Amino acid sequence: MSSTGPGNTYLDRVEVSDSEDLYWARTARPPWLTAQEAASRGGLQAREINIDAGWYQGCGFRIVVLDPDWDHEHASHITSDLGEFVTTLEGWMRLITERGELPKA
């Protein structure tokens, strides 16, 4: 779809895929640590961990933990049960943020 107006031109693009993102989050280093301090401590505080959760046609709900970047899938969980999806997502978030551990691959 494109629209024009006095002095304005913009394009809207609609993409169709087989997934619906429901949740996405990433960790960030604690604000009281500089990048150098976080790097010297190592561990998860020195890295950006991404969690992507959504609905995928043909397989159901899927949660993916990406570390150290979007090209590396560390762990994945697929279920058709909404309760299991929410419980797993909450558990993995707690594991990463409170315990400083990644879920088992």
Side-chain angles (χ1 to χ4, degrees):
M1 171 193 328
S2 65
S3 298
T4 59
N8 295 329
T9 301
Y10 66 91
L11 296 174
D12 293 315
R13 186 171 86 188
V14 176
E15 294 183 15
V16 178
S17 69
D18 64 348
S19 69
E20 293 292 331
D21 290 334
L22 300 174
Y23 180 81
W24 173 79
R26 70 175 178 85
T27 60
R29 80 177 145 77
W32 57 86
L33 293 178
T34 66
Q36 185 178 13
E37 290 170 328
S40 69
R41 287 182 177 201
L44 296 187
Q45 289 186 343
R47 303 197 313 262
E48 181 178 287
I49 311 300
N50 289 277
I51 299 176
D52 183 33
W55 171 260
Y56 293 82
Q57 294 289 350
C59 71
F61 296 105
R62 182 172 184 227
I63 305 166
V64 180
V65 175
L66 302 159
D67 175 51
D69 56 39
W70 282 94
D71 294 326
H72 295 89
E73 184 178 300
H74 176 80
S76 177
H77 180 78
I78 297 173
T79 181
S80 60
D81 182 81
L82 178 60
E84 181 181 342
F85 170 76
V86 171
T87 300
T88 302
L89 180 58
E90 288 175 341
W92 284 12
M93 289 172 35
R94 187 176 309 108
L95 188 67
I96 293 168
T97 60
E98 293 178 9
R99 298 177 70 190
E101 300 173 10
L102 290 173
K104 303 250 188 268

